[in-house]
Amino acid sequence: MGLKTKIIGIVTSVILLAVLGFFFFRYYFVFGEGVKAGELNQVMYKGYVFKTYEGRLIQAGFRGASSSKGTVTMESYVFEFSVEDKAVADSLMRCSGKSVELHYKEYLGALPWRGQQKYVVDKILSVN
């Protein structure tokens, strides 16, 4: 084996490892975990090629007083998420309109077969 062949093999291996490392970090590394609470708006099963479960949670809250008018306003935040586990998705479909607490994992990127969102719900903590 010549020196040129060894160098090409090493460079190719380094590039392949870098690409695999980037792919893992971007799509499989759990960047964060947390709990969101709010009213479950909808959960649906949709997609053209990869059918995934997608949902929406509405979190209501108050916005502080503005300096000009001194009024407090109501504000809502929409938390959009995907669900990988069919059993969790089926349970959520029966909870539409109820107040729920959901445990989620945050990824840096979405994969088509995992869902359209970078937030993936994996557990239902409570339903009221």
Side-chain angles (χ1 to χ4, degrees), residues 52-64:
T52 59
Y53 294 97
E54 307 295 326
R56 185 179 302 148
L57 184 76
I58 306 295
Q59 296 176 289
F62 292 103
R63 186 175 183 187

Side-chain angles (χ1 to χ4, degrees), residues 40 42-43 53 81 83 85-98 100 102 121-127:
L40 186 63
Q42 66 180 1
V43 176
Y53 294 97
F81 59 89
V83 182
D85 188 1
K86 184 180 181 343
V88 172
D90 288 342
S91 297
L92 284 173
M93 285 183 179
R94 291 189 299 273
C95 297
S96 187
K98 295 181 181 174
V100 296
L102 304 175
V121 168
D122 58 351
K123 283 189 264 186
I124 302 170
L125 299 178
S126 69
V127 178

Side-chain angles (χ1 to χ4, degrees), residues 9 16 19 23 25 37 45 50 75 77 83-84 94 97 106 108-109 113-114 117-118:
L16 182 63
V19 168
F23 188 79
F25 184 73
Y45 186 61
F50 297 103
E75 187 175 272
Y77 173 72
V83 182
E84 280 186 296
R94 291 189 299 273
E106 179 182 0
L108 296 174
W113 52 87
R114 187 170 59 203
Q117 307 300 323
K118 64 180 187 175

Side-chain angles (χ1 to χ4, degrees), residues 12 14-16 24 30 32 36 39 52 72 74 88 91 95 98 101 103 109 112 120 123 126:
T12 304
V14 168
I15 291 172
L16 182 63
F24 171 79
V30 177
K36 292 277 188 180
E39 183 178 315
T52 59
V72 177
M74 186 74 150
V88 172
S91 297
C95 297
K98 295 181 181 174
E101 280 186 44
H103 181 270
V120 178
K123 283 189 264 186
S126 69

Side-chain angles (χ1 to χ4, degrees), residues 5 8-10 20 25 35 39 41 61 70-71 74 83 105 125-126:
T5 307
I8 290 174
I10 290 171
L20 289 174
F25 184 73
V35 175
E39 183 178 315
N41 186 309
T71 59
M74 186 74 150
V83 182
K105 293 181 181 179
L125 299 178
S126 69

